[in-house]
Amino acid sequence: MNAIMNIQIRVILTTAPLAFALATWFPSGVSADELREAQVTQVIQDVKVLPSSGAPRPAALNDDVRPGTAVQTGTQSRSELTFKDQTITRLGEKTIFSVGEGARTIDLGSGQFLLYVPKKAGGAKVKMGPVTAAITGTTVVGNVAPSGIVEFTVLEGTARVRLDSVGQCLLVVAGQKVTYDPIAMRLEDPVEVDLQQQQTNPLVTGFRPLPSTPYMNVAVENQRRAAAGTGGAELAHAVSASGAASIGAATPEQFLAAFSSLLVRYPQAEICDLVGTAVRLRPELADRIVVAAVTGSRPVRGYSKEAKDFKEKEMPCDWVQCIVDAAIAGNPRMANEIINALLEAAPMLRDCIGAPCFPANQFRPPLVISPINPATFVNSPEKPPK
């Protein structure tokens, strides 16, 4: 009976932080209208345009698709739409797609899709039933099944996938797939997928080459190196040279010194991979690893008074974001510590960092109002206790 009376009332707070996080970081000068109108750039078999008023009609090349107009593909049919900012959406068979009413938002009612957003286009939001993905400079594929299951895979770049109803948020990096289970009503943990195999998807191979093909090739190579443990052996050797018996036995200073010694000779394209490897080996040092990677390998934009002398040699924002995402993927529970440490070391990089997800795949912690304790109750004389 005491256990029943000591029930805790919990309220899950999910509003303001998620509303802020979903306001993706669009650069100034990028017009939201550039993702509110698209043209049909490829039609394969049965593709129809569904106006808000009027009967469906067969789609034709250069047809305009605006808010209120949907595109539907039939069996064994595909289509491609291109927006003014060169964002590309490709639709698989039995798919319904429309331009969302919100700024830079597209809606996937059902079916299969591929979405490519150029690096400097300002990002986009993809609504897939109860799931929303915020992406910038990324190529993704997804599927909304009739059963309500949503699958979302990142081919290159990163995405932040949210389930607002329960306050879940996941960082999904290249080579990962996240699934929404409508029965459990939650996002499952991201799982690794074979990026080389993903490139055989008909939405990739059945059309003209994507502008992001070089980035997808880099992601495939990064995944191959990670599977082979590339970087781990070099870190072990560098740690040994510092006097430590092993990576696990090295002091934080010894490990970070070994990591920094590799930074100066690692090519830029492999820095994020090295960061991810270092964080997996010493996850408790994730925040310090990121600071070392960002401030130790190249001059940071505005990081010092001499920064103006490093024109076109400064660290670009997409590289900073890549380093941060690699570290968070390696140790998601330190997401806040990683970002706070970076901004303390280089506060001018705040505009480079997208809105972070809540650490790890979990619901936001509930707010415990108070336990119900019978001893604190005062009985009213008008109403005798039951």
Side-chain angles (χ1 to χ4, degrees), residues 144-155:
V144 181
S147 63
I149 293 175
V150 177
E151 294 179 329
F152 183 86
T153 302
V154 177
L155 302 184

Side-chain angles (χ1 to χ4, degrees), residues 155-189:
L155 302 184
E156 60 91 14
T158 59
R160 285 163 175 81
V161 182
R162 292 178 167 85
L163 183 62
D164 295 342
S165 59
V166 293
Q168 273 188 292
C169 177
L170 290 176
L171 173 72
V172 187
V173 301
Q176 288 185 334
K177 178 178 75 172
V178 64
T179 301
Y180 166 69
D181 183 348
I183 297 178
M185 293 188 294
R186 66 171 287 123
L187 296 167
E188 303 295 342
D189 289 330

Side-chain angles (χ1 to χ4, degrees), residues 1-237:
M1 186 66 177
N2 290 337
I4 296 175
M5 296 300 294
N6 288 324
I7 298 173
Q8 294 181 339
I9 302 174
R10 298 184 175 185
V11 178
I12 298 178
L13 302 179
T14 62
T15 52
L18 285 172
F20 170 78
L22 277 177
T24 48
W25 298 59
F26 301 144
S28 59
V30 175
S31 171
D33 291 338
E34 291 182 347
L35 206 62
R36 291 179 64 82
E37 181 178 336
Q39 281 192 331
V40 176
T41 47
Q42 191 158 350
V43 175
I44 300 175
Q45 295 194 34
D46 180 21
V47 182
K48 290 184 173 63
V49 174
L50 284 63
S52 56
S53 60
R57 56 180 175 79
L61 290 180
N62 300 322
D63 270 351
D64 290 332
V65 180
R66 301 184 176 91
T69 302
V71 176
Q72 183 177 41
T73 58
T75 303
Q76 296 183 346
S77 303
R78 298 190 301 275
S79 184
E80 179 187 79
L81 297 91
T82 303
F83 292 83
K84 289 183 178 180
D85 64 358
Q86 300 308 305
T87 291
I88 294 173
T89 298
R90 292 175 178 174
L91 312 177
E93 66 172 357
K94 300 179 181 178
T95 298
I96 299 177
F97 162 88
S98 62
V99 179
E101 294 298 331
R104 301 191 65 79
T105 301
I106 62 176
D107 292 331
L108 209 292
S110 63
Q112 312 157 30
F113 75 96
L114 176 146
L115 179 65
Y116 155 71
V117 180
K119 297 297 180 186
K120 297 182 180 180
K125 287 187 288 187
V126 188
K127 293 186 67 66
M128 301 162 285
V131 179
T132 302
I135 63 176
T136 55
T138 309
T139 306
V140 301
V141 291
N143 181 59
V144 181
S147 63
I149 293 175
V150 177
E151 294 179 329
F152 183 86
T153 302
V154 177
L155 302 184
E156 60 91 14
T158 59
R160 285 163 175 81
V161 182
R162 292 178 167 85
L163 183 62
D164 295 342
S165 59
V166 293
Q168 273 188 292
C169 177
L170 290 176
L171 173 72
V172 187
V173 301
Q176 288 185 334
K177 178 178 75 172
V178 64
T179 301
Y180 166 69
D181 183 348
I183 297 178
M185 293 188 294
R186 66 171 287 123
L187 296 167
E188 303 295 342
D189 289 330
V191 297
E192 187 170 345
V193 298
D194 187 341
L195 284 176
Q196 186 71 58
Q197 184 179 16
Q198 288 291 316
Q199 293 206 9
T200 63
N201 188 315
L203 295 180
V204 176
T205 60
F207 297 82
R208 59 192 169 101
L210 286 164
S212 59
T213 297
Y215 297 106
M216 291 194 291
N217 292 337
V218 169
V220 169
E221 180 61 19
N222 287 345
Q223 188 178 63
R224 185 197 64 77
R225 286 200 306 267
T230 303
E234 293 172 291
L235 275 169
H237 180 74

Side-chain angles (χ1 to χ4, degrees), residues 330-356:
N331 187 2
R333 292 187 178 274
M334 284 190 67
N336 287 345
E337 290 88 343
I338 289 169
I339 293 174
N340 289 339
L342 174 61
L343 295 181
E344 182 178 352
M348 71 294 302
L349 294 179
R350 183 173 300 277
D351 290 342
C352 287
I353 308 300

Side-chain angles (χ1 to χ4, degrees), residues 154-378:
V154 177
L155 302 184
E156 60 91 14
T158 59
R160 285 163 175 81
V161 182
R162 292 178 167 85
L163 183 62
D164 295 342
S165 59
V166 293
Q168 273 188 292
C169 177
L170 290 176
L171 173 72
V172 187
V173 301
Q176 288 185 334
K177 178 178 75 172
V178 64
T179 301
Y180 166 69
D181 183 348
I183 297 178
M185 293 188 294
R186 66 171 287 123
L187 296 167
E188 303 295 342
D189 289 330
V191 297
E192 187 170 345
V193 298
D194 187 341
L195 284 176
Q196 186 71 58
Q197 184 179 16
Q198 288 291 316
Q199 293 206 9
T200 63
N201 188 315
L203 295 180
V204 176
T205 60
F207 297 82
R208 59 192 169 101
L210 286 164
S212 59
T213 297
Y215 297 106
M216 291 194 291
N217 292 337
V218 169
V220 169
E221 180 61 19
N222 287 345
Q223 188 178 63
R224 185 197 64 77
R225 286 200 306 267
T230 303
E234 293 172 291
L235 275 169
H237 180 74
V239 165
S240 177
S242 71
S246 66
I247 288 177
T251 66
E253 289 69 26
Q254 287 175 319
F255 183 83
L256 290 168
F259 173 75
S260 297
S261 70
L262 296 181
L263 282 175
V264 297
R265 60 176 186 266
Y266 246 66
Q268 177 180 339
E270 299 180 18
I271 291 293
C272 296
D273 181 51
L274 177 64
V275 169
T277 300
V279 171
R280 286 190 293 271
L281 292 172
R282 290 295 295 267
E284 79 282 5
L285 299 178
D287 52 344
R288 298 176 66 179
I289 290 170
V290 167
V291 171
V294 171
T295 62
S297 52
R298 287 178 68 181
V300 178
R301 180 178 53 141
Y303 186 71
S304 67
K305 294 180 180 179
E306 292 76 27
K308 61 183 180 180
D309 299 328
F310 297 107
K311 290 182 178 179
E312 298 181 1
K313 296 181 181 180
E314 299 168 8
M315 183 177 292
C317 274
D318 57 350
W319 192 18
V320 175
Q321 187 67 66
C322 175
I323 289 173
V324 171
D325 289 344
I328 293 176
N331 187 2
R333 292 187 178 274
M334 284 190 67
N336 287 345
E337 290 88 343
I338 289 169
I339 293 174
N340 289 339
L342 174 61
L343 295 181
E344 182 178 352
M348 71 294 302
L349 294 179
R350 183 173 300 277
D351 290 342
C352 287
I353 308 300
C357 278
F358 189 72
N361 182 14
Q362 59 188 28
F363 301 128
R364 285 189 173 274
L367 174 65
V368 179
I369 303 300
S370 63
I372 298 176
N373 187 345
T376 64
F377 288 170
V378 177

